[in-house]
Amino acid sequence: MCGLAGELRRDGSRADVTAVERMAATMHDRGPDDSGVWSQGPVALGHRRLKIIDLSAASGQPLVDSAAGLTGVFNGCVYNYRELRAELQAKGHVFFSSGDTEVVLKAYAEWGDDFVDHLVGMFAVAITERATGRLVLARDRLGIKPLYLAETPDRVRFASTLPALLAGGGIDTTVDPVALAHYLSFHSIVPPPRTILRGVAKLPPATVRVYEPDGRVTERVYWDPSFTRHPDRAGWSERDWQDALHESLTTAVRRRMVADVPVGVLLSGGLDSSLVVALLAEQGQRGLATFSIGFEAVGGREGDEFRYSDLIAKTFDTDHHQIRVATNDLVPPLEAAVAAMSEPMVSHDCVAFYLLSETVARHVKVVQSGQGADEILGGYHWYPPLAGVDRAAALDTYAKAFFDRDAAGLARVVNPDRLADGDPAREFVAAHLGRVGADTAVDAGLRIDTQIMLTDDPVKRVDNMTMAHGLEARVPFLDHEFVELAASCPPELKLAQGGKGVLKEIGRRVLPWEVIDRPKGYFPVPGLTHLEGKVLDRVRDALHAPEARRRDLFRADYVDALLTDPNAELTPLNGNKLWQLGLLEMWLQSHGIA
């Protein structure tokens, strides 16, 4: 897990090494253990390293493979790197390190652009050919690892974070009206390739983009799972599905123990993270380090789920750590969390993950986390309504449950000259839900959440907040083979028992019943859902700041009304609408965007 950066010149000049150095330097937190810069003609690569696999200098980056004529930078982890290494050695490749980055380069040398099809893991990678200057960028199937781009006619720059690109200079930082519409409608999600800024894009998940020496650019989506019923599994019983998913998830958590340093678990006390702990215990893990966080109650809302995480820690005899945060301590970590965001994210989970990661990083450098189970296995409340409609009615049903605003609502919030044409979020979601490859409305809803919402909300949130402290987070529920299997599982098995029924049945085999048969919980930060005190003051300051007035994104009468009654308007997902606006301005100001 690291941070990468680079530049490709398109105008015949040499790459700006100084700019790449500035970009890489901003990612010190992502890679505190080592750094490096490499350049040749029109290409320069920079890297910050977090040492997880092969702790020696041999795996330092940028990694130059002289025999293959390749140089690359890599962020993430390839869990099957040992198996691939053996396969590549059998084909005649000779290795000089014991890490996974060299395996990635050798895989490219052997299979070309198809190298990604052989990788099991999470990754963003840039590889350049020494002889031709050809540049290949790729991102993992579920978009667990980020890769941002800033392109002009003269150059292409790329980095693991958006702020790194800002540090390189020359970025159009104008707020993109279409992205703003997505942010305010699609619950802060801005689908790729857009970001909130006009001048920055992001490489979509499961994508290989190639910049050829002659100026051509090609792109291939190499993975798109089918959310249909598989003929070979037509005769499977409920028990067969439980057994198959249990086995696949067990493989996923075992894969994510691959490391040359200890691996812990972020334990919320919910079904998902508890099951990760239980499956690791089944495989003989003892003394596993687990970590939970809790906040003071505010406005009648509880701020911790310690009773559940404590039960799991006791049941499986983990080395457990409880982290308690007082509400009056929220503003400083809130500021830090916003600064750590590559894109504005409204979920109050960000602060919780930031604080949790800060403590966890003092104990371990790698953790497993339960993110993704709800999207993969039907755990959210908007899936059951989809079961009662046909594909044609899926859009209205999904939007009613998930969207924060419709076009009329946007017009109430956004100043006319900042308003996008049409209803971008609704149009995007309609197109995605209408794609072939999903049998039912539930399948279509699960697919858009798996491929879009999950990547650009929970997964991004975890990556940004953990990496702010040099902590690598691994997500077994997003093992691509597990996702493929789950996508083909009949929706009724997922929606049973109030959601994630098939996973709950797996849990009954190994977990205490109290953790399974309980109301769904979230990572609670009451002080950010019920705005008051110092946090409310900070939001007010952000919306009244000179930068905000110059930007003039929002209608003044709407903002004033929200500030008069800050907790009056909530989204369908119980998000605070004032917080949405304030968070966006806080993020823009935090990153020096005037």
Side-chain angles (χ1 to χ4, degrees), residues 29-48:
D29 292 338
R30 293 184 73 92
D33 296 335
D34 199 5
S35 65
V37 176
W38 171 94
S39 68
Q40 179 179 287
V43 181
L45 301 175
H47 193 263
R48 295 292 321 191

Side-chain angles (χ1 to χ4, degrees), residues 2 41 47 51 70 106 110 113-114 133 192 196 231 277 292 299 331 356 367 382 410 416 419 427 457 480 512 524 566:
C2 310
H47 193 263
K51 295 183 178 180
L70 302 172
K106 291 288 201 293
E110 178 65 31
D113 298 349
D114 294 335
I196 199 69
V277 172
S292 302
V331 172
L356 180 61
V367 288
W382 52 89
L410 277 174
L419 199 60
E427 293 161 11
D457 188 8
H480 81 272

Side-chain angles (χ1 to χ4, degrees), residues 266-270 273-274 290-297 302-315 318 320-326 352 355-356 359-360 512 514-515 518 521-524 526:
L266 301 182
L267 177 61
S268 69
S273 60
S274 298
T290 55
F291 305 86
S292 302
I293 192 168
F295 295 81
E296 289 180 351
E302 289 190 19
D304 73 70
E305 297 186 326
F306 287 148
R307 62 188 179 278
Y308 299 112
S309 56
D310 287 351
L311 175 60
I312 294 300
K314 181 178 180 181
T315 300
T318 72
H320 191 54
H321 305 259
Q322 246 188 37
I323 303 161
R324 295 179 180 271
V325 181
L355 290 168
L356 180 61
T359 297
V360 172
E514 296 96 328
V515 173
R518 51 164 289 199
Y522 295 90
F523 226 161

Side-chain angles (χ1 to χ4, degrees), residues 362-404:
R362 299 175 191 145
H363 300 268
V364 294
K365 296 176 76 169
V366 184
V367 288
Q368 296 204 37
S369 176
Q371 266 60 47
D374 289 299
E375 293 84 354
I376 305 302
L377 291 166
Y380 290 126
H381 66 80
W382 52 89
Y383 300 132
L386 288 169
V389 302
D390 59 22
R391 288 288 301 277
L395 174 61
D396 288 339
T397 304
Y398 183 89
K400 181 180 180 181
F402 195 83
F403 277 24
D404 297 335

